[in-house]
Amino acid sequence: MTTPYRRLDKRQAAVLLVDHQTGLLSLVRDIEPDRFRNNVLALADLARYFELPTLLTTSFENGPNGPLLPELKELFPEAPYIARPGQINAWDNADFVRAVKATGRKQLIVAGVVTEVCVAFPALSALAEGFEVFVVTDASGTFNELTRDSAWSRMTAAGAQLMGWFAVACELHRDWRNDVEGLGALFAGHIPDYRNLMTGYDRLTAGK
Amino acid sequence: MTTPYRRLDKRQAAVLLVDHQTGLLSLVRDIEPDRFRNNVLALADLARYFELPTLLTTSFENGPNGPLLPELKELFPEAPYIARPGQINAWDNADFVRAVKATGRKQLIVAGVVTEVCVAFPALSALAEGFEVFVVTDASGTFNELTRDSAWSRMTAAGAQLMGWFAVACELHRDWRNDVEGLGALFAGHIPDYRNLMTGYDRLTAGK
Amino acid sequence: MTTPYRRLDKRQAAVLLVDHQTGLLSLVRDIEPDRFRNNVLALADLARYFELPTLLTTSFENGPNGPLLPELKELFPEAPYIARPGQINAWDNADFVRAVKATGRKQLIVAGVVTEVCVAFPALSALAEGFEVFVVTDASGTFNELTRDSAWSRMTAAGAQLMGWFAVACELHRDWRNDVEGLGALFAGHIPDYRNLMTGYDRLTAGK
Amino acid sequence: MTTPYRRLDKRQAAVLLVDHQTGLLSLVRDIEPDRFRNNVLALADLARYFELPTLLTTSFENGPNGPLLPELKELFPEAPYIARPGQINAWDNADFVRAVKATGRKQLIVAGVVTEVCVAFPALSALAEGFEVFVVTDASGTFNELTRDSAWSRMTAAGAQLMGWFAVACELHRDWRNDVEGLGALFAGHIPDYRNLMTGYDRLTAGK
Amino acid sequence: MTTPYRRLDKRQAAVLLVDHQTGLLSLVRDIEPDRFRNNVLALADLARYFELPTLLTTSFENGPNGPLLPELKELFPEAPYIARPGQINAWDNADFVRAVKATGRKQLIVAGVVTEVCVAFPALSALAEGFEVFVVTDASGTFNELTRDSAWSRMTAAGAQLMGWFAVACELHRDWRNDVEGLGALFAGHIPDYRNLMTGYDRLTAGK
Amino acid sequence: MTTPYRRLDKRQAAVLLVDHQTGLLSLVRDIEPDRFRNNVLALADLARYFELPTLLTTSFENGPNGPLLPELKELFPEAPYIARPGQINAWDNADFVRAVKATGRKQLIVAGVVTEVCVAFPALSALAEGFEVFVVTDASGTFNELTRDSAWSRMTAAGAQLMGWFAVACELHRDWRNDVEGLGALFAGHIPDYRNLMTGYDRLTAGK
Amino acid sequence: MTTPYRRLDKRQAAVLLVDHQTGLLSLVRDIEPDRFRNNVLALADLARYFELPTLLTTSFENGPNGPLLPELKELFPEAPYIARPGQINAWDNADFVRAVKATGRKQLIVAGVVTEVCVAFPALSALAEGFEVFVVTDASGTFNELTRDSAWSRMTAAGAQLMGWFAVACELHRDWRNDVEGLGALFAGHIPDYRNLMTGYDRLTAGK
Amino acid sequence: MTTPYRRLDKRQAAVLLVDHQTGLLSLVRDIEPDRFRNNVLALADLARYFELPTLLTTSFENGPNGPLLPELKELFPEAPYIARPGQINAWDNADFVRAVKATGRKQLIVAGVVTEVCVAFPALSALAEGFEVFVVTDASGTFNELTRDSAWSRMTAAGAQLMGWFAVACELHRDWRNDVEGLGALFAGHIPDYRNLMTGYDRLTAGK
């Protein structure tokens, strides 16, 4: 009577980046800022690397919540960009849902700020409509462990799967032979320990 | 085979504040006191802001458990106030259940001290009677992480949804356009980082 | 599709204290020793207070695992005491199961050392035979958080309910009026903050 | 509607050690290195002690991921050893699945690095094919608590059972009388506190 | 060869509040925001309560650092307010030093954001000029424990004394009989546990 | 240029227990309550065991601060008991200082609540008058780590020595042969792990 | 009798980067890898920004310790680069000391891996020769908190000053007006929260 | 006015291992048991590797404190072994002091259980007699952080230097060229991450 294994498929998945705005980021305290920034950019990079349809959305960008992280805008210049006029749950915005459905994808990879609202609300709505939802836990942030754990509990009870960005990348890629260089570059760019392994390896095998 | 998304609706929700008494508060050590006080008052403020029917109840108020936090009494002068003569589970008190049912609401937002007793017992009883139960985790406190996690496990297994007060407010409000000023004031009053964002924003846009 | 509320009933409950032996206690590092000792004795005191049938069992008491905590033996001089000759899962010992069944109780309150073995194994076995199982998380100890969380996950997946000893006492007692003095003494004896509340209260109301 | 008790049986269980490679081990930061190394070797020792069919597999052993821990290779000189040419999920490698099925075992004890990929992917795949899966949480490692907890959530939702290596050993052994010396030696070799208990016991009973 | 006891004296002390600006506050992550806001306001309230000369200073208030916390400006409408045009160490600003010296006080109570710069630099400079310096550790904030501990080490090595705001208040007040009501109100306003003690006490002694 | 070794001597030492009052104890959150209560009673027991002159003092015992822990009063029925009428620093109370000096001791073992005020203030004053001061860190409590570390820094800079109660007992006793039974009983009464060692030892050597 | 304020001066300071090698970095576990990498690069960037003489040194670069972080080599192509043939304390290498002295600077800013060896040894040696030493605590890493705290204790006892890289930058820069753009860029490049402040500020003031 | 750099010299140093007994080890809870055992054995191995005079001493070895770790006895079969008849401070035992002085060494490397007694007492006594004392912090253990930090404070105030075993080894060895193989083997035997680096390096350079 368990949740079956829903496996990410790069032909079925889309990425939703919800409210990674400069003001809202100051609220995130359940994850250290250097790590969080790195994780968000890693998720964005993998979305591009796997050429997944990606949606950007923001809440009140001209108010205290602040603008979207400029890097995200730059990485996805062609992506649907829904600046919501007021809806807190992005799924309450018809343009957003339309854009999601326009991707034709049934697997939604979601991350955002703050976890229990900007991530959990659309995740729960999408699950209710039959989408498979994969929450990228380490690219989503919130006030503290209490609110994070509450959000995780609510989403998993409704059938969401929790994953870190590294697991998302690995499940999408399936086999290193699909592109060793590309996946390696993605990891080297966002995992210092992996980068160090590669640097050390390259040095030792340089003359071989 | 998962718990479906039960979404809070301000026309369907009532708030139960259980045993936030001055003596019992000295038992709370799973959450820092400044934060806890702030969260409890935030929940109270949002109950008023959304005009949710609210019930107050206490256990042995004239004994060592101490009186209800005076702020709560003042915020809800007209609310049903059930000083239970001895029942530990508020749901065992007929007046309390009657008052809950008199609200006509099916969604119960519950918080209290201590989590595994004053919150969990009525939450489990209400679930057994078909209510939807939303536990406000950050406005509920207890002895330590062990007892908290045990209580959360028991309540979620029975179908309760865990939320922080911020998520409750956002899910009830639905759309900033319903009242930007009001929701903003609620957040500024209880989230220092949000207040700072607003102060900075106001300064920069003052002359615009 | 959730676990229904199984409520502890003092006429239906029995207590199983599994392997609280002096040697094994040196393995417990997921809970501070002063608190752990206090919790184990609190659980024992409540078992006596509510006159619950209580079983003691040990594993290899004459070897390195060491003897049962002498206090437990003294508190329950008449209790069935099963010194298992080798079975790791107490439920594999026919005498133990016979003693459990002889109580005629269907609700088993279980605690022991170490959590993932001495508690989890009989808990899972009892659940499989249709008993209701309540694990006293704060009177059970183990090596570290990893093994504890693993054990909790396995037991709750099988239907066990997690509770701290304080919640057990409150759920069994139901109503303070059943015996204010007795329950108060139990709490004062094992919760320093509660004891302090009572001492302060007594002082202030002494002359009233 | 709960997961029933699947009990490990030494005649039904096999062990899968996935990607415990020297380079990947530098990524593990959710568990202290001395403890982690000890746990991995403890799991290997118990696999040998109970004569469980054991499989070794690695990913890109000649690249930055580095070679398998030499101790594992030495402990299982005859074990199937699948150096995967690129598949990230070991279950995508036909040789690996064939080797698993050749054991004739239905209970798979899995550990590896990193938890959310090298452990979770084959665990989920095996569950989907009807195997019983037991994840050895303390012999598996990953980047941090966020990714670990995400992986645990995903695996338990699909029906995996979480256990530490000590619980695995105890559940397989069933009864100390099957071999007191052997199990004692396994514990003394990997649990310093248990070793100390035995040393102290031996000293005091030496002349008896 | 130790630092002698320099005791705070309300006739000798002045308070320096350095760069508590809304933008800079988003950098503070070594102390939880609810507690930090409370501590800063507590320090401000005690400065007023003891009528200590108080100085406000800011760095680049019209840029990203943001404006001073409005509450501080409101509490000290007459205080010297030095908006530094660029000096990072407030002590490098002649107006600031002049204002400090104009107070005629030799004991400087300092707090600010961030600890290792805005607090440590003027603290070290003031010590070098012969002032007694008392750093209010819990009303000062910074990036993380590493930078905090480094700052504390540097300041104490130079002779600064570390105190929390509560200790500052107690040392200044000397004797409750100087004003029981006033000090009690200060504590009740900023220490939830103390407030609860007072509320409970008042209830029990109300009719006495 | 270091602090020389001042060694505790049972003929030179006195114990000062400052403000261990039931209300103030609710403020203590830098140490878990079961452990803290145990440590305070351990210190009291050792004071009696070594027959050290002991002083009790309280602040506003009839107000919200609450009465002295009754156990302390009972353990020292003949001890000087100074209920200070208002002085926050006990050393500002002439009766207290007189009582200290009347002991004729030059080594003061100090503990109390809260650390940075009730302990630090008299400790600093006593050091300034030439006493040797030994702060019992684990029998003193305060709001949080920030205030504790600040207090420790201030006291050690002035020459105080920090010790736990166990170290105090050991340094006073010097040699087990002075009384094996007595010291053993003190440890067994307050260190669960030590008690377990003794119980196990007694069992194994019972028939020897 | 305290350490006087030694203030960093950009005309007097040099930077020593000791053994930031890819292999040694896998040993660092007292600081999260994303943060650590960021801090090391921030220190390097500030060294360039302030045009401080900078020395690079490594230990056994062709062995398991691995090569220097390539980014450091690239940032300082002209810097003295001392690949030590075996000396563990860089100060035992005559070339290194000669290069240090050739800078003509008396203030040494030191960071490296691991803290208690590669940083502490040359720091202690330099102090013994009369240099002023500033240890960059957040750009230095080691095994765990025990070894870090031990190293800090040893170095501060000998007169070293502990600072984070942000404090170093601020103390060197003295006044924002020396170059607002440059310092801002340094901070934006390495402090996500600061970058967010700037992005939000720029947006709001864009049209002004 | 700081502590000068006392540098360990293998011709001047001796090692004191104090009370690493099986029973006392069960009291150690400020450091995880796998790591602690590893550190103690690492210190012992380095004492042998550098052929440092080493002393073993125990307290009440035939009582509950238990026997010395057998590995230590085996590693140093010829070492002076002082089973103290009762002195708690090893320095109060004339045989022990005589054995220390017989080594002719002035630098004492000390570790033991528990830190604040078995380590701190002889360390303070030795300092008072003019020895240089180096406390091996990670091979010494105690009840909790409070007692550990108290002990560290007391010892450093008296002039002791705190070091981890790795720093001790490095400072004694001075130059890898003195014996690359030997030092490498010591590190590989006790630092899993270092062992992994070496294994990976050996694999990659095997055919070179």
Side-chain angles (χ1 to χ4, degrees), chain D residues 2 4-5 68-70 82 85 89 92 99 105 108 113-114 118 125 133 147 150 172 178 181 188 190 194 204-205:
Chain D
T2 52
Y5 182 19
L68 187 69
L69 277 182
I82 293 94
N89 181 345
D92 284 344
R105 303 295 173 99
L108 303 182
V113 172
V114 298
C118 306
S125 294
V133 173
T147 57
S150 300
L172 289 166
N178 289 329
E181 297 295 311
H190 295 287
Y194 220 100
L204 286 174
T205 57

Side-chain angles (χ1 to χ4, degrees), chain G residues 2-204:
Chain G
T2 52
T3 306
Y5 183 20
R6 307 288 189 187
R7 193 171 178 177
L8 277 169
D9 178 338
K10 63 187 171 193
R11 292 156 310 185
Q12 292 301 328
V15 173
L16 314 184
L17 299 178
V18 186
D19 302 353
H20 288 103
Q21 296 166 250
T22 61
L24 292 175
L25 284 164
S26 78
L27 306 178
V28 174
R29 286 168 185 268
D30 68 326
I31 183 166
E32 191 266 326
D34 292 327
R35 180 189 287 178
F36 187 52
R37 174 177 165 79
N38 184 31
N39 289 344
V40 172
L41 296 182
L43 176 59
D45 280 352
L46 84 79
R48 274 176 56 101
Y49 175 67
F50 291 107
E51 299 179 358
L52 303 180
T54 299
L55 278 75
L56 305 175
T57 181
T58 58
S59 163
F60 264 142
E61 193 163 352
N62 295 319
N65 290 353
L68 186 70
L69 277 183
E71 294 88 342
L72 296 183
K73 186 66 191 151
E74 286 159 21
L75 280 167
F76 303 100
E78 309 296 327
Y81 186 106
I82 293 94
R84 307 192 308 278
Q87 301 94 344
I88 294 177
N89 181 347
W91 208 265
D92 285 344
N93 180 294
D95 292 337
F96 183 78
V97 175
R98 204 173 299 122
V100 171
K101 293 187 175 170
T103 66
R105 303 295 174 98
K106 293 304 270 180
Q107 298 186 322
L108 304 182
I109 298 168
V110 190
V113 172
V114 298
T115 313
E116 70 270 36
V117 172
C118 306
V119 177
F121 290 2
L124 291 165
S125 294
L127 285 162
E129 292 205 20
F131 286 87
E132 295 174 16
V133 173
F134 302 81
V135 174
V136 188
T137 51
D138 53 3
S140 302
T142 180
F143 301 103
N144 52 56
E145 283 76 8
L146 284 182
T147 56
R148 180 180 70 202
D149 291 351
S150 301
W152 288 15
S153 169
R154 204 178 184 210
M155 291 190 284
T156 54
Q161 297 196 60
L162 307 183
M163 299 178 75
W165 72 262
F166 180 76
V168 170
C170 289
E171 192 153 299
L172 289 166
H173 199 62
R174 297 285 168 96
D175 195 309
W176 276 94
R177 291 168 298 184
N178 289 329
D179 176 13
V180 174
E181 297 295 309
L183 193 67
L186 181 67
F187 293 169
H190 295 287
I191 306 176
D193 286 322
Y194 220 100
R195 184 191 202 89
N196 290 337
L197 287 175
M198 292 183 189
T199 302
Y201 174 80
D202 289 346
R203 165 68 69 99
L204 287 174

Side-chain angles (χ1 to χ4, degrees), chain H residues 64-179:
Chain H
N65 290 353
L68 185 70
L69 277 183
E71 293 87 343
L72 295 184
K73 187 65 191 150
E74 286 158 22
L75 281 167
F76 303 100
E78 309 296 329
Y81 185 106
I82 293 95
R84 307 193 307 279
Q87 301 94 343
I88 295 178
N89 181 346
W91 208 265
D92 284 344
N93 181 294
D95 292 338
F96 182 78
V97 176
R98 203 173 300 122
V100 171
K101 293 186 175 168
T103 66
R105 304 293 174 101
K106 293 305 269 180
Q107 297 186 322
L108 304 182
I109 298 168
V110 190
V113 172
V114 298
T115 313
E116 70 270 37
V117 172
C118 306
V119 177
F121 290 2
L124 292 165
S125 294
L127 285 162
E129 293 206 20
F131 286 86
E132 295 173 17
V133 173
F134 303 79
V135 174
V136 188
T137 50
D138 53 3
S140 301
T142 180
F143 301 104
N144 51 58
E145 282 77 6
L146 285 182
T147 57
R148 179 180 69 201
D149 291 351
S150 300
W152 286 16
S153 169
R154 204 178 185 210
M155 291 190 285
T156 54
Q161 296 196 62
L162 306 183
M163 299 177 75
W165 72 262
F166 179 76
V168 170
C170 289
E171 191 153 300
L172 288 166
H173 198 62
R174 298 283 169 97
D175 194 311
W176 276 93
R177 290 168 298 184
N178 289 330
D179 176 13

